[in-house]
Amino acid sequence: MSRPLLLAVSLEEIQNRQGRMSEHVLYNTWRGMKERCLSVSCIAHKRYGGKGINIHQDWIDKTRHFKHKRWSRGFCLFLDYIEKNLGPKPLGFSLDRINGNYDYAPNNLRWADPSLQKKNQTVKNRTGYKYVYAVTGSSKWQAEYKNGKERIHLGYFITKEKAYSEALAHRLETLWPKNL
């Protein structure tokens, strides 16, 4: 029997939960989620478990599944949720928390492409100036801010101080009531 490209186990084996758990296409997703949230030695732990992000308790259960003896109950329950609620993993997509401040839990997961994942990330501004960001691969500084959901890009500047002063001037000009 030939194997599907994305899976190391056949569809029949998946439905019957046969074969090794680690051969399932979602195993590394599940394992990575557990490592980020539960393992203090994981590099990403400070951004997940260290911030209080947890995993739905049933998905952590290490006991063997009553029907699929070779697989853990937690992984089987995770798969059941994904299969019933999110469907198969689209090519190029990964699991994403809808609200990044909440746990890996039912109703807070979706499949997301890299651009949606990027929009959902927390960007840490390390410039010391609000609205100013370093331009990757350049010595310039970018000034921008959000007005509601709209991102206002103000341009690139030689110094971060100039970028900051432009951002403040633009915000005052556009957001300050003109009839005072």
Side-chain angles (χ1 to χ4, degrees):
M1 171 185 264
S2 67
R3 305 256 189 220
L5 290 176
L6 294 176
L7 308 173
V9 293
S10 71
L11 292 174
E12 182 182 317
E13 288 172 324
I14 289 170
Q15 290 166 348
N16 296 328
R17 304 282 194 256
Q18 296 172 345
R20 292 196 327 241
M21 222 168 52
S22 61
E23 293 177 333
H24 193 282
V25 70
L26 292 177
Y27 176 76
N28 285 333
T29 300
W30 176 73
R31 189 186 58 139
M33 172 180 72
K34 285 179 45 180
E35 282 181 10
R36 288 187 298 274
C37 295
L38 305 175
S39 175
V40 181
S41 62
C42 177
I43 293 171
H45 181 268
K46 66 181 178 188
R47 295 190 324 265
Y48 292 86
K51 280 181 28 181
I53 304 298
N54 292 307
I55 301 170
H56 182 58
Q57 201 60 40
D58 288 347
W59 298 346
I60 302 171
D61 191 346
K62 293 179 183 177
T63 61
R64 294 289 162 207
H65 192 274
F66 68 94
K67 183 178 173 188
H68 313 295
K69 306 270 187 237
R70 296 181 68 190
W71 293 28
S72 79
R73 182 176 179 274
F75 184 57
C76 287
L77 292 173
F78 172 74
L79 284 180
D80 288 344
Y81 173 78
I82 297 296
E83 289 168 356
K84 288 177 186 159
N85 296 284
L86 302 182
K89 178 181 179 180
L91 188 61
F93 281 56
S94 59
L95 198 61
D96 180 50
R97 286 174 293 126
I98 296 167
N99 184 329
N101 297 318
Y102 294 141
D103 296 343
Y104 285 99
N107 302 322
N108 193 35
L109 297 178
R110 64 182 169 198
W111 293 122
D113 65 356
S115 67
L116 184 56
Q117 285 268 10
K118 191 76 174 160
K119 289 177 188 171
N120 202 23
Q121 281 182 347
T122 303
V123 177
K124 199 165 200 169
N125 184 341
R126 297 175 186 201
T127 64
Y129 293 94
K130 197 170 183 179
Y131 320 120
V132 177
Y133 303 90
V135 178
T136 307
S138 171
S139 60
K140 294 194 175 193
W141 301 90
Q142 172 181 330
E144 69 178 32
Y145 65 92
K146 277 186 160 181
N147 186 8
K149 290 192 174 194
E150 181 185 8
R151 186 178 302 271
I152 313 293
H153 176 74
L154 301 173
Y156 300 102
F157 303 90
I158 305 273
T159 66
K160 58 185 171 182
E161 292 79 8
K162 178 68 176 161
Y164 181 64
S165 68
E166 288 295 322
L168 286 181
H170 188 271
R171 284 184 58 84
L172 283 172
E173 185 180 301
T174 58
L175 301 176
W176 198 268
K178 294 184 177 20
N179 55 1
L180 284 181

